[in-house]
Amino acid sequence: MKQKNEETEMKKIRMSQQIRSFLENGTYLPGSALPSEREMAEEYGISRMAVKSVLKELAEDGYIYRIQGKGTFVQKRIHEKTALGVLSSDGRSFSEVMKRQGIHIENRVIAKGEVPMTSLLKKRLQLEEPDEIYGLYRIRMGNGIPYAVELTYLPLKYFPEVDKRDFAHVSLYSYMEAKGFGVKKGPQTMCVVPADDYVANYLELEVGQPVYRFEFCGKTKKGEVVEYTESYTRTDRTEIRIQASFKR
């Protein structure tokens, strides 16, 4: 029994190594389907349960992804992800970053309108009662794929006519600039969090899958806080690059 288990483990390792090699050398291209579990079980001489175990590890390592009822597909590798690191270094917007990399951007407005004052929004936007807040919730699409969900909040005292604009086609920052409240700077934070039901639904992810969570407070040259945005961005299609310098 021990010898049989060892043989199975060796076959699983061999299968894993060969599939990784095929994925890295381009034998299997991003988006292409892998052979069925039955075919791989026959090819490598192991059970379908053992095949499932190997595929689970490859999925966890970011090599493949599985769609229930459709099969197993090659994941776009990390080095092919869209680099978002420039967002925190040179102030370019999401749309600018994506367009510079040849990605067609589309904005879908999923909700908009006046939202209740909360302690968080009051603090982030530096408002006082009875100031009013406008919420704009959008999906940022890249080549037809949902990349991010953005929840943006604006003080209505600065943008009383904001609801008349169609931000599926109008740039939010261009609109703010035209109103004399262009964003020039602001603190931004980033962390990785599990996608909740809301975010997972719009980004077409599994609940609990990791996403980047950005928080940004936009300020004018005069220091007026005119924007607070929470953005949830897919980690499987984007990456954050950090450039560090060291002094001796």
Side-chain angles (χ1 to χ4, degrees):
M1 180 64 72
K2 181 180 179 182
Q3 183 178 358
K4 185 176 181 179
N5 289 339
E6 289 177 350
E7 289 177 357
T8 297
E9 286 304 311
M10 289 300 296
K11 289 179 179 179
K12 286 171 61 178
I13 292 172
R14 187 156 50 247
M15 173 186 171
S16 178
Q17 290 176 336
Q18 186 168 10
I19 291 179
R20 288 171 192 263
S21 176
F22 286 160
L23 295 172
E24 291 173 351
N25 66 23
T27 301
Y28 294 146
L29 297 176
S32 63
L34 294 184
S36 68
E37 292 179 359
R38 178 182 58 79
E39 291 171 327
M40 286 189 279
E42 292 177 357
E43 180 177 353
Y44 295 102
I46 55 179
S47 68
R48 290 185 64 174
M49 184 175 295
V51 170
K52 287 180 183 291
S53 175
V54 174
L55 295 179
K56 181 175 182 292
E57 292 179 359
L58 291 172
E60 290 174 348
D61 289 344
Y63 282 90
I64 62 174
Y65 62 96
R66 313 186 73 183
I67 300 177
Q68 186 69 30
K70 292 187 177 181
T72 304
F73 301 86
V74 180
Q75 181 65 275
K76 194 174 183 181
R77 295 297 294 144
I78 291 176
H79 66 274
E80 296 172 318
K81 292 182 178 180
T82 302
L84 297 181
V86 290
L87 287 177
S88 60
S89 62
D90 65 7
R92 287 202 294 265
S93 68
F94 180 92
S95 296
E96 290 174 314
V97 171
M98 301 289 273
K99 288 176 181 177
R100 285 174 68 93
Q101 299 188 51
I103 298 173
H104 174 71
I105 294 300
E106 178 187 355
N107 296 317
R108 294 184 182 176
V109 177
I110 53 180
K112 63 176 185 174
E114 189 174 338
V115 299
M117 173 81 75
T118 66
S119 57
L120 174 65
L121 294 179
K122 181 179 180 180
K123 180 179 180 181
R124 293 289 191 270
L125 292 170
Q126 298 180 11
L127 298 176
E128 297 293 341
E129 302 286 357
D131 288 334
E132 299 173 320
I133 301 173
Y134 185 83
L136 175 64
Y137 302 167
R138 295 176 294 171
I139 304 176
R140 312 303 294 274
M141 310 287 291
N143 291 342
I145 298 169
Y147 268 73
V149 174
E150 286 190 358
L151 316 178
T152 298
Y153 302 92
L154 310 171
L156 270 172
K157 63 182 180 181
Y158 298 136
F159 310 103
E161 298 179 353
V162 63
D163 199 49
K164 297 179 181 179
R165 300 295 184 270
D166 179 6
F167 291 107
H169 303 98
V170 176
S171 164
L172 176 60
Y173 282 165
S174 293
Y175 164 75
M176 296 168 72
E177 185 78 39
K179 293 298 179 181
F181 294 97
V183 174
K184 301 301 179 183
K185 60 180 180 179
Q188 178 169 279
T189 61
M190 187 277 289
C191 62
V192 177
V193 299
D196 60 17
D197 291 348
Y198 182 88
V199 170
N201 176 55
Y202 285 114
L203 292 184
E204 300 177 4
L205 300 173
E206 296 291 334
V207 174
Q209 191 166 334
V211 293
Y212 296 118
R213 181 181 187 274
F214 294 93
E215 277 193 34
F216 176 71
C217 289
K219 297 183 179 181
T220 66
K221 284 184 177 181
K222 297 180 180 179
E224 300 153 315
V225 181
V226 293
E227 172 201 2
Y228 169 64
T229 292
E230 294 178 10
S231 176
Y232 299 86
T233 304
R234 294 177 62 155
T235 59
D236 62 335
R237 291 191 173 275
T238 59
E239 65 180 6
I240 306 298
R241 295 178 181 174
I242 300 173
Q243 183 173 345
S245 59
F246 300 91
K247 296 181 179 179
R248 295 184 180 277

